[in-house]
Amino acid sequence: MKKSNLAVSIMIACFPLGILAADVPTETPTPKPEMIEAYQTWKNTDYSIGSPLGGLKGNPANGRKVAIHRGKGNCLACHQMPIPEEEFHGEVGPPLDGIASRYDEGQLRLRIVNMQELNPGTLMPPFYKHPDQFNRVSKKYQGRTILTVQEVEDVVAYLMTLK
Amino acid sequence: MKLKATIIWGVCMLTAQLSASVFSADVFSGYTLLKQETKEMQDDDFLNQGMATVEKGGKLFASIGKNGKSCETCHGQGGKKLDPKVIATYPVLNSKTQRPITLQQHIINEWTENLGNAPLKYESSDALALEAFVRNLARGQVVNVQTGGKMVPFFEQGKKLYEEARAGQLDMACASCHNLYPGLKLRAQVLSQGQSNGFPLYRLADGKVVGVQTRINQCFDQFRAEGYPFGSEENTLLELYMNARGNGLKIETPAVRF
């Protein structure tokens, strides 16, 4: 029995915690329904969303934080990114280093807002899809987009720095 | 540097696609991806923490019910008259209802109908212990779920739930991870095909034995989706499809997983 307990402790120590957001307690409190912001409509024109959602200006430093945060972007679950202080980067999506030299701002915005517009079978979560279009959402997340309008713009601004 | 990373990813993806097509012919158990220590833990009954649950199930199997019978009355000491090959075919078509029934539901039914006991809750620790005990009798048997004849429509419904039904705020289907990307890392964890051949199994992350329907709900939870109730029609169909998808794998109950 001693031996087995030791083995378990080693196992647990070796395993990093948290795959997707829900594996790890999120620091963000659930907003009350009245705090949920109004949904901003957007349009896919030639696989691009040309203008910022809600006309907001993105903050790249905050966008980097949103990308790391497991309860928000959690981009590192699937992508390698130039964020060396974070240990584990997933590999199911393409590396994002240099992404701004491959796509312009509007193309990046569509990819964050809803990758399904480009690939209906994608694994990438649609960060700003209309909440009515989801099925069987856990209570805690009902009626909400994954990211807020400001967070989408922050992430886009951050990706634009990855030349 | 950036180009190199993209090329490496491209090669990874190509390999993943190629291996995905190999895997579809050639299913593989989550065991393959375990660390050596975890494999050793599973393989050694003294280290395998799931064995305590199997033993508990064995005691329940021998326990005398309200009507004076035990499971052993009909199935022999230690279940020696149960046919491991039949256990490996679950879920099966239930002749009374003409619908598929899972192994755990079958055991729960017999617990009340043949032993006269109070009903067991689906995925409760006693129900799981009995299921783990029975499935352990079939350890090493090849999963062999029948999907033809009257099972066809149920198999197709289960397939749809697994392959196509997107759910949750992260809007994913089971196949989004377990069909497209087995072998690749999500954060630090390598994705498997999400096979069910080891259940009920000991989950180190939970420190206890979990049934396949609990695991299904744990995955739903990861992408912020509401799971289906234990023992529900949907979970039965999902379990049917998942077990059939793993036809050819060896039963590992009780497996050990992170």
Side-chain angles (χ1 to χ4, degrees):
Chain A
M1 207 56 216
K2 275 255 172 56
K3 199 173 161 196
S4 99
N5 283 345
L6 177 67
V8 174
S9 327
I10 294 171
M11 274 298 313
I12 290 171
C14 291
F15 260 105
L17 293 170
I19 306 306
L20 283 175
D23 272 11
V24 156
T26 12
E27 295 107 70
T28 32
T30 315
K32 297 197 182 76
E34 65 269 23
M35 285 168 64
I36 299 176
E37 64 184 15
Y39 184 77
Q40 302 285 328
T41 51
W42 49 267
K43 201 163 160 262
N44 169 0
T45 311
D46 294 333
Y47 299 103
S48 170
I49 303 174
S51 39
L53 302 185
L56 295 176
K57 191 171 158 32
N59 170 345
N62 194 51
R64 192 176 189 275
K65 285 187 199 148
V66 173
I68 295 172
H69 195 298
R70 287 169 192 252
K72 292 186 174 167
N74 197 23
C75 317
L76 292 173
C78 300
H79 295 281
Q80 290 167 42
M81 299 177 81
I83 302 182
E85 74 273 22
E86 289 287 319
E87 203 178 348
F88 300 106
H89 298 209
E91 56 189 19
V92 298
L96 297 183
D97 201 359
I99 194 76
S101 44
R102 279 182 273 151
Y103 299 114
D104 65 25
E105 190 186 301
Q107 291 171 323
L108 285 174
R109 187 173 291 109
L110 178 70
R111 282 164 173 77
I112 308 307
V113 164
N114 191 355
M115 181 59 94
Q116 294 167 2
E117 297 272 323
L118 290 138
N119 173 9
T122 189
L123 167 65
M124 179 153 152
F127 289 97
Y128 203 78
K129 185 171 168 171
H130 197 295
D132 290 353
Q133 294 172 348
F134 293 132
N135 309 303
R136 298 190 1 261
V137 177
S138 330
K139 281 215 180 59
K140 192 176 159 195
Y141 298 101
Q142 277 170 13
R144 289 197 289 147
T145 51
I146 305 170
L147 296 181
T148 64
V149 180
Q150 185 63 58
E151 286 165 349
V152 169
E153 290 307 321
D154 291 351
V155 169
V156 172
Y158 165 62
L159 292 182
M160 287 305 290
T161 67
L162 305 181
K163 298 266 192 228
Chain B
M1 187 57 206
K2 289 160 194 176
L3 188 63
K4 211 166 109 195
T6 313
I7 291 170
I8 292 170
W9 181 79
V11 172
C12 282
M13 287 313 299
L14 197 65
T15 328
Q17 298 297 337
L18 286 177
S19 33
S21 52
V22 173
F23 290 154
S24 58
D26 191 12
V27 290
F28 77 99
S29 164
Y31 179 86
T32 329
L33 300 173
L34 297 180
K35 300 203 161 185
Q36 192 54 35
E37 305 93 272
T38 320
K39 285 186 178 168
E40 282 165 16
M41 210 184 285
Q42 173 170 323
D43 294 343
D44 183 341
D45 280 355
F46 291 100
L47 292 181
N48 186 332
Q49 307 225 46
M51 284 312 290
T53 300
V54 170
E55 279 157 29
K56 177 181 164 184
K59 286 194 186 121
L60 289 167
F61 196 84
S63 68
I64 309 293
K66 288 254 162 60
N67 66 7
K69 284 186 199 144
S70 79
C71 309
E72 294 196 335
T73 312
C74 301
H75 296 302
Q77 198 187 7
K80 65 177 174 228
K81 289 193 209 150
L82 279 171
D83 184 352
K85 288 212 164 60
V86 177
I87 294 167
T89 60
Y90 271 76
V92 297
L93 194 77
N94 180 283
S95 51
K96 266 186 250 159
T97 61
Q98 290 293 304
R99 304 192 73 82
I101 182 168
T102 64
L103 181 60
Q104 190 179 138
Q105 188 64 58
H106 177 95
I107 292 170
I108 287 172
N109 292 354
E110 289 208 50
W111 183 254
T112 45
E113 287 162 18
N114 286 336
L115 268 56
N117 287 335
L120 286 179
K121 263 205 182 135
Y122 209 104
E123 296 285 287
S124 64
S125 72
D126 285 0
L128 277 174
L130 277 162
E131 187 193 1
F133 172 76
V134 168
R135 250 193 146 218
N136 177 254
L137 297 172
R139 184 158 63 173
Q141 282 293 324
V142 168
V143 179
N144 181 26
V145 179
Q146 300 306 304
T147 57
K150 288 180 175 166
M151 286 295 253
V152 170
F154 302 114
F155 175 80
E156 291 301 328
Q157 286 171 52
K159 182 173 182 175
K160 240 188 174 142
L161 286 173
Y162 190 93
E163 308 271 337
E164 292 167 29
R166 280 182 184 269
Q169 194 196 35
L170 303 191
D171 214 21
M172 294 169 176
C174 313
S176 311
C177 281
H178 293 300
N179 282 13
L180 290 178
Y181 300 112
L184 291 184
K185 268 191 207 137
L186 199 63
R187 283 271 182 190
Q189 203 168 2
V190 182
L191 278 165
S192 74
Q193 292 178 338
Q195 295 289 358
S196 52
N197 57 313
F199 287 88
L201 56 74
Y202 189 84
R203 244 202 115 179
L204 295 161
D206 294 332
K208 65 173 183 198
V209 166
V210 299
V212 69
Q213 299 197 2
T214 299
R215 191 64 180 91
I216 293 172
N217 280 1
Q218 288 172 334
C219 274
F220 272 134
D221 208 51
Q222 280 192 83
F223 47 97
R224 305 179 181 176
E226 204 63 68
Y228 301 107
F230 294 144
S232 63
E233 180 70 22
E234 289 90 346
N235 267 336
T236 304
L237 295 169
L238 266 173
E239 187 173 333
L240 165 68
Y241 179 70
M242 288 164 72
N243 284 13
R245 182 171 168 268
N247 273 349
L249 292 174
K250 286 196 172 142
I251 290 178
E252 295 173 16
T253 311
V256 178
R257 297 285 187 271
F258 175 66

